[in-house]
Amino acid sequence: MSQRAALRGLVLIASFLTAASPATATILITVPGGQSIPVYEIDVLPGTSSPMLEARILFDIGSPPAGTETLTFTGLPPGATTVPSVVSYVVSPAQTLAAVTFQIAVAAGTLPGSYPIMVENAPTAAGSAELLLTEMSARKASRSASSA
């Protein structure tokens, strides 16, 4: 076999292995804008929504998915929902970074407390992020503000 034929076979095998490897990603929750400062905890009063948040999804290895992807939120307390209700984004072929904004709305009757929320990507399993939602009563919020 010639050196040229051997090299052609090597390139085909490498391309196949790259295309077959699954995508992995990192999900980072930030405040939208120029800075990518991670957000790990948000405080929300009953009957209000969180500030606007941004999920940045960075695909690390393999072939990123192409098409519509959705973030799922596990651990939201009863009465809390994402705005929009379905947080999805579209990935183009070979795109390595995607971003989508959302809020968390908390109904007036939601019990005060801290709720760990797992944010995951679907249908492509591509990483997760953890966010702590603290639903504060108005009394606790005014105490926090007066002690600051």
Side-chain angles (χ1 to χ4, degrees):
M1 179 180 344
S2 73
Q3 194 174 21
R4 181 183 240 172
L7 244 148
R8 211 174 305 139
L10 179 63
V11 170
L12 288 174
I13 291 170
S15 295
F16 175 73
L17 291 175
T18 301
S21 61
T24 61
T26 303
I27 299 175
L28 182 65
I29 308 295
T30 65
V31 175
Q35 298 177 337
S36 295
I37 299 170
V39 174
Y40 299 105
E41 184 174 350
I42 54 172
D43 297 330
V44 182
L45 287 170
T48 66
S49 296
S50 71
M52 188 64 70
L53 299 170
E54 181 177 69
R56 300 179 66 126
I57 303 94
L58 174 64
F59 294 97
D60 303 318
I61 300 172
S63 300
T68 302
E69 296 287 318
T70 303
L71 296 181
T72 59
F73 296 78
T74 307
L76 286 171
T81 59
T82 59
V83 178
S85 59
V86 176
V87 181
S88 61
Y89 61 98
V90 176
V91 181
S92 301
Q95 181 179 345
T96 57
L97 175 66
V100 61
T101 56
F102 66 94
Q103 291 178 288
I104 298 177
V106 177
T110 303
L111 295 175
S114 292
Y115 302 92
I117 300 166
M118 184 64 67
V119 182
E120 297 178 292
N121 195 69
T124 304
S128 62
E130 192 165 326
L131 184 62
L132 184 65
L133 172 69
T134 303
E135 194 286 319
M136 300 172 42
S137 65
R139 179 186 296 175
K140 183 177 177 183
S142 65
R143 244 184 301 172
S144 296
S146 65
S147 66

